[in-house]
mmCIF file of all heavy atoms in Angstrom:
data_model
loop_
_atom_site.group_PDB
_atom_site.id
_atom_site.type_symbol
_atom_site.label_atom_id
_atom_site.label_comp_id
_atom_site.label_asym_id
_atom_site.label_seq_id
_atom_site.Cartn_x
_atom_site.Cartn_y
_atom_site.Cartn_z
ATOM 1 N N LEU F 59 105.697 111.746 117.451
ATOM 2 C CA LEU F 59 104.965 112.587 118.398
ATOM 3 C C LEU F 59 105.089 112.040 119.823
ATOM 4 O O LEU F 59 105.096 112.803 120.781
ATOM 5 C CB LEU F 59 103.490 112.684 117.997
ATOM 6 C CG LEU F 59 103.212 113.542 116.758
ATOM 7 C CD1 LEU F 59 101.756 113.391 116.322
ATOM 8 C CD2 LEU F 59 103.555 115.003 116.996
ATOM 9 N N LEU F 60 105.219 110.730 119.948
ATOM 10 C CA LEU F 60 105.378 110.117 121.276
ATOM 11 C C LEU F 60 106.805 110.255 121.797
ATOM 12 O O LEU F 60 107.044 110.140 122.995
ATOM 13 C CB LEU F 60 105.003 108.629 121.215
ATOM 14 C CG LEU F 60 103.535 108.317 120.942
ATOM 15 C CD1 LEU F 60 103.330 106.810 120.747
ATOM 16 C CD2 LEU F 60 102.655 108.822 122.078
ATOM 17 N N HIS F 61 107.754 110.478 120.873
ATOM 18 C CA HIS F 61 109.174 110.572 121.239
ATOM 19 C C HIS F 61 109.765 111.806 120.559
ATOM 20 O O HIS F 61 110.560 111.691 119.620
ATOM 21 C CB HIS F 61 109.911 109.304 120.807
ATOM 22 C CG HIS F 61 109.302 108.055 121.357
ATOM 23 N ND1 HIS F 61 109.576 107.601 122.632
ATOM 24 C CD2 HIS F 61 108.387 107.191 120.839
ATOM 25 C CE1 HIS F 61 108.890 106.490 122.852
ATOM 26 N NE2 HIS F 61 108.149 106.230 121.787
ATOM 27 N N PRO F 62 109.385 112.990 121.043
ATOM 28 C CA PRO F 62 109.717 114.218 120.314
ATOM 29 C C PRO F 62 111.204 114.550 120.246
ATOM 30 O O PRO F 62 111.598 115.363 119.409
ATOM 31 C CB PRO F 62 108.939 115.300 121.079
ATOM 32 C CG PRO F 62 108.654 114.711 122.403
ATOM 33 C CD PRO F 62 108.560 113.236 122.209
ATOM 34 N N ASP F 63 112.046 113.944 121.073
ATOM 35 C CA ASP F 63 113.468 114.271 120.969
ATOM 36 C C ASP F 63 114.117 113.656 119.727
ATOM 37 O O ASP F 63 115.225 114.034 119.359
ATOM 38 C CB ASP F 63 114.219 113.852 122.229
ATOM 39 C CG ASP F 63 114.264 112.344 122.403
ATOM 40 O OD1 ASP F 63 113.680 111.607 121.579
ATOM 41 O OD2 ASP F 63 114.901 111.903 123.377
ATOM 42 N N GLY F 64 113.437 112.723 119.089
ATOM 43 C CA GLY F 64 113.936 112.156 117.846
ATOM 44 C C GLY F 64 114.919 111.017 118.000
ATOM 45 O O GLY F 64 115.130 110.245 117.069
ATOM 46 N N GLU F 65 115.506 110.876 119.164
ATOM 47 C CA GLU F 65 116.535 109.840 119.346
ATOM 48 C C GLU F 65 115.977 108.430 119.121
ATOM 49 O O GLU F 65 116.645 107.578 118.535
ATOM 50 C CB GLU F 65 117.155 109.946 120.738
ATOM 51 C CG GLU F 65 118.023 111.175 120.931
ATOM 52 C CD GLU F 65 119.208 111.221 119.983
ATOM 53 O OE1 GLU F 65 119.844 110.169 119.784
ATOM 54 O OE2 GLU F 65 119.472 112.293 119.429
ATOM 55 N N ALA F 66 114.769 108.195 119.601
ATOM 56 C CA ALA F 66 114.184 106.863 119.451
ATOM 57 C C ALA F 66 113.965 106.526 117.978
ATOM 58 O O ALA F 66 114.151 105.381 117.553
ATOM 59 C CB ALA F 66 112.871 106.770 120.227
ATOM 60 N N LEU F 67 113.574 107.529 117.180
ATOM 61 C CA LEU F 67 113.370 107.298 115.749
ATOM 62 C C LEU F 67 114.671 106.904 115.057
ATOM 63 O O LEU F 67 114.678 106.075 114.145
ATOM 64 C CB LEU F 67 112.824 108.566 115.083
ATOM 65 C CG LEU F 67 111.318 108.674 114.882
ATOM 66 C CD1 LEU F 67 110.949 110.050 114.368
ATOM 67 C CD2 LEU F 67 110.807 107.602 113.953
ATOM 68 N N HIS F 68 115.763 107.483 115.487
ATOM 69 C CA HIS F 68 117.046 107.194 114.849
ATOM 70 C C HIS F 68 117.461 105.747 115.034
ATOM 71 O O HIS F 68 118.297 105.244 114.294
ATOM 72 C CB HIS F 68 118.140 108.111 115.403
ATOM 73 C CG HIS F 68 117.812 109.559 115.291
ATOM 74 N ND1 HIS F 68 118.567 110.540 115.880
ATOM 75 C CD2 HIS F 68 116.799 110.217 114.674
ATOM 76 C CE1 HIS F 68 118.038 111.720 115.636
ATOM 77 N NE2 HIS F 68 116.960 111.550 114.907
ATOM 78 N N LYS F 69 116.867 105.100 116.025
ATOM 79 C CA LYS F 69 117.206 103.702 116.326
ATOM 80 C C LYS F 69 116.172 102.738 115.760
ATOM 81 O O LYS F 69 116.000 101.634 116.278
ATOM 82 C CB LYS F 69 117.331 103.502 117.837
ATOM 83 C CG LYS F 69 118.491 104.247 118.447
ATOM 84 C CD LYS F 69 118.605 103.960 119.919
ATOM 85 C CE LYS F 69 119.823 104.672 120.487
ATOM 86 N NZ LYS F 69 120.016 104.381 121.902
ATOM 87 N N THR F 70 115.466 103.164 114.723
ATOM 88 C CA THR F 70 114.479 102.280 114.115
ATOM 89 C C THR F 70 114.739 102.124 112.623
ATOM 90 O O THR F 70 115.356 102.976 111.984
ATOM 91 C CB THR F 70 113.041 102.811 114.290
ATOM 92 O OG1 THR F 70 112.889 104.037 113.569
ATOM 93 C CG2 THR F 70 112.693 103.026 115.757
ATOM 94 N N VAL F 71 114.242 101.017 112.107
ATOM 95 C CA VAL F 71 114.197 100.796 110.661
ATOM 96 C C VAL F 71 112.733 100.830 110.261
ATOM 97 O O VAL F 71 111.888 100.221 110.919
ATOM 98 C CB VAL F 71 114.835 99.449 110.284
ATOM 99 C CG1 VAL F 71 114.566 99.102 108.823
ATOM 100 C CG2 VAL F 71 116.337 99.481 110.553
ATOM 101 N N LEU F 72 112.450 101.564 109.204
ATOM 102 C CA LEU F 72 111.103 101.616 108.650
ATOM 103 C C LEU F 72 110.923 100.427 107.717
ATOM 104 O O LEU F 72 111.687 100.277 106.755
ATOM 105 C CB LEU F 72 110.906 102.930 107.884
ATOM 106 C CG LEU F 72 109.624 103.068 107.069
ATOM 107 C CD1 LEU F 72 108.388 103.060 107.975
ATOM 108 C CD2 LEU F 72 109.674 104.340 106.218
ATOM 109 N N VAL F 73 109.950 99.588 108.014
ATOM 110 C CA VAL F 73 109.648 98.423 107.178
ATOM 111 C C VAL F 73 108.248 98.621 106.618
ATOM 112 O O VAL F 73 107.294 98.804 107.378
ATOM 113 C CB VAL F 73 109.724 97.118 107.991
ATOM 114 C CG1 VAL F 73 109.391 95.924 107.099
ATOM 115 C CG2 VAL F 73 111.109 96.961 108.625
ATOM 116 N N THR F 74 108.132 98.604 105.301
ATOM 117 C CA THR F 74 106.867 98.948 104.673
ATOM 118 C C THR F 74 106.562 98.009 103.514
ATOM 119 O O THR F 74 107.481 97.529 102.841
ATOM 120 C CB THR F 74 106.887 100.426 104.218
ATOM 121 O OG1 THR F 74 105.671 100.734 103.563
ATOM 122 C CG2 THR F 74 108.061 100.724 103.306
ATOM 123 N N THR F 75 105.287 97.732 103.310
ATOM 124 C CA THR F 75 104.899 96.746 102.300
ATOM 125 C C THR F 75 105.197 97.204 100.885
ATOM 126 O O THR F 75 105.331 96.381 99.997
ATOM 127 C CB THR F 75 103.401 96.410 102.411
ATOM 128 O OG1 THR F 75 102.640 97.620 102.315
ATOM 129 C CG2 THR F 75 103.093 95.696 103.724
ATOM 130 N N ALA F 76 105.306 98.526 100.657
ATOM 131 C CA ALA F 76 105.577 99.023 99.304
ATOM 132 C C ALA F 76 106.618 100.130 99.356
ATOM 133 O O ALA F 76 106.798 100.793 100.390
ATOM 134 C CB ALA F 76 104.300 99.552 98.660
ATOM 135 N N GLU F 77 107.289 100.314 98.256
ATOM 136 C CA GLU F 77 108.310 101.356 98.150
ATOM 137 C C GLU F 77 107.703 102.715 98.509
ATOM 138 O O GLU F 77 106.681 103.107 97.945
ATOM 139 C CB GLU F 77 108.861 101.395 96.720
ATOM 140 C CG GLU F 77 109.988 102.370 96.538
ATOM 141 C CD GLU F 77 110.665 102.221 95.183
ATOM 142 O OE1 GLU F 77 110.412 101.229 94.464
ATOM 143 O OE2 GLU F 77 111.452 103.119 94.845
ATOM 144 N N PRO F 78 108.297 103.415 99.446
ATOM 145 C CA PRO F 78 107.743 104.705 99.847
ATOM 146 C C PRO F 78 107.696 105.704 98.680
ATOM 147 O O PRO F 78 108.609 105.754 97.860
ATOM 148 C CB PRO F 78 108.707 105.198 100.934
ATOM 149 C CG PRO F 78 109.304 103.947 101.496
ATOM 150 C CD PRO F 78 109.433 103.027 100.301
ATOM 151 N N CYS F 79 106.628 106.478 98.647
ATOM 152 C CA CYS F 79 106.517 107.552 97.663
ATOM 153 C C CYS F 79 107.524 108.647 98.055
ATOM 154 O O CYS F 79 108.100 108.612 99.140
ATOM 155 C CB CYS F 79 105.083 108.088 97.641
ATOM 156 S SG CYS F 79 104.662 109.119 99.070
ATOM 157 N N PRO F 80 107.743 109.635 97.188
ATOM 158 C CA PRO F 80 108.719 110.695 97.524
ATOM 159 C C PRO F 80 108.395 111.427 98.830
ATOM 160 O O PRO F 80 109.313 111.788 99.571
ATOM 161 C CB PRO F 80 108.637 111.634 96.327
ATOM 162 C CG PRO F 80 108.197 110.759 95.204
ATOM 163 C CD PRO F 80 107.256 109.755 95.816
ATOM 164 N N MET F 81 107.116 111.644 99.120
ATOM 165 C CA MET F 81 106.738 112.308 100.374
ATOM 166 C C MET F 81 107.188 111.477 101.576
ATOM 167 O O MET F 81 107.800 111.995 102.517
ATOM 168 C CB MET F 81 105.222 112.521 100.410
ATOM 169 C CG MET F 81 104.677 113.049 101.729
ATOM 170 S SD MET F 81 102.881 113.285 101.695
ATOM 171 C CE MET F 81 102.294 111.584 101.616
#
Side-chain angles (χ1 to χ4, degrees):
L59 288 171
L60 293 173
H61 305 278
D63 67 358
E65 290 299 317
L67 264 173
H68 305 171
K69 294 183 177 183
T70 65
V71 170
L72 171 64
V73 179
T74 178
T75 56
E77 184 170 349
C79 74
M81 173 180 69

